[in-house]
Amino acid sequence: SGSKQDTVKFVQDTSKFWYKPDISRDQAIALLKDKEPGSFIVRDSHSFRGAYGLAMKVATPPPSVVHHSKKVGDLSSELVRHFLIECTPKGVRLKGCPNEPYFGSLTALVCQHSITPLALPCKLILPDRDSLEELNDASAQTATNSAAELLKQGAACNVWFLGSVELESLTGQQAVQKATTLTLSMDPPPPSTVVHFKVSAQGITLTDNQRKLFFRRHYAVNTVIFCSLDPLGRKWTRDSVSTAKIFGFVAKKSQSETENVCHLFAEHDPEQPASAIVNFVSKVMIGSHKK
């Protein structure tokens, strides 16, 4: 009996991997369609209150599907079959399968079907990891790969350069907020110019094409530590009419490990919003070099 108890305990430990109460039928199909036959998920049924849905991957599609000869591409999702588990006063059982016994719990039902298939097309395979997490990891990996691709191409746009503020060791949103406060309170306001703002795998390059303030400045990827919009949402007034969102990035001062500088900008082109630039720098550039 010792080994039997171990089996039951083992199954209970795995229920967090296969019981996903809130996922939809379509999500269950997406999770299972590329898995081996016998892979499964139990979820709360959305059509029958109080019942459960068992979605499982099978080796061959049901005959009805083959007859209707769907497009080949659809067949992988047809290999995910759905069964209803009903809850009755006697216990839980597979609905519509008169030869199926009642079980005292979902765990017991799953355990028995992992030993023998009974009315199911094949035995259930108990998972040893969370397939939902695997799916999330895979999409995170895809995002990382596409970020790397974006960086290779680089992204560039024109922005207003409002100046740079030294901040000692301050970083994060407080740094952008403080730099914005100091810049907006300057009287007269600092000279501003349109610069070409390019983000690549090497870092951020600013080019002042009119050479008003400088010609070109480059901030290597490992020196750029933070980028955000002004946390207080303040705008820069370009002329008395138009205003533009302010954003900045914090970079280590050259030849210094402890001194930071915040470089401030304002949107120049509504087609290139500050939020998109900040997103690109934060996620694609800073995000990829931290990995």
Side-chain angles (χ1 to χ4, degrees), residues 155-162 193-199 205-210 236 238 244-245 247 264-274 276-277:
C157 60
N158 286 336
V159 293
W160 286 96
F161 174 67
L162 307 183
T193 184
V194 175
V195 298
H196 186 252
F197 187 105
K198 183 170 195 292
V199 185
T205 307
L206 305 178
T207 309
D208 177 358
N209 285 322
Q210 297 173 0
W236 179 65
R238 195 162 71 229
K245 281 185 182 171
F247 71 98
L264 272 195
F265 309 88
E267 276 174 350
H268 178 265
D269 179 356
E271 295 288 306
Q272 304 280 357
I277 302 168

Side-chain angles (χ1 to χ4, degrees), residues 79-146:
L79 290 174
V80 178
R81 300 274 305 276
H82 301 273
F83 300 88
L84 197 67
I85 300 173
E86 56 183 349
C87 298
T88 74
K90 292 183 185 173
V92 292
R93 72 180 298 193
L94 282 182
K95 188 173 171 60
C97 306
N99 301 334
E100 279 274 334
Y102 289 95
F103 293 92
S105 67
L106 268 183
T107 297
L109 181 146
V110 163
C111 178
Q112 187 58 51
H113 287 85
S114 72
I115 297 163
T116 165
L118 298 176
L120 291 177
C122 62
K123 285 196 292 195
L124 297 179
I125 297 172
L126 292 172
D128 55 4
R129 59 174 66 90
D130 195 321
S131 45
L132 206 52
E133 278 178 15
E134 276 182 356
L135 196 70
N136 293 340
D137 287 348
S139 55
Q141 190 54 49
T142 310
T144 305
N145 293 346
S146 54

Side-chain angles (χ1 to χ4, degrees), residues 166-170 251-254 256-261:
E166 297 194 5
L167 293 161
E168 296 175 345
S169 60
L170 195 63
K252 290 182 190 140
K253 203 170 166 186
S254 55
S256 168
E257 276 301 308
T258 53
E259 300 273 306
N260 295 333
V261 183

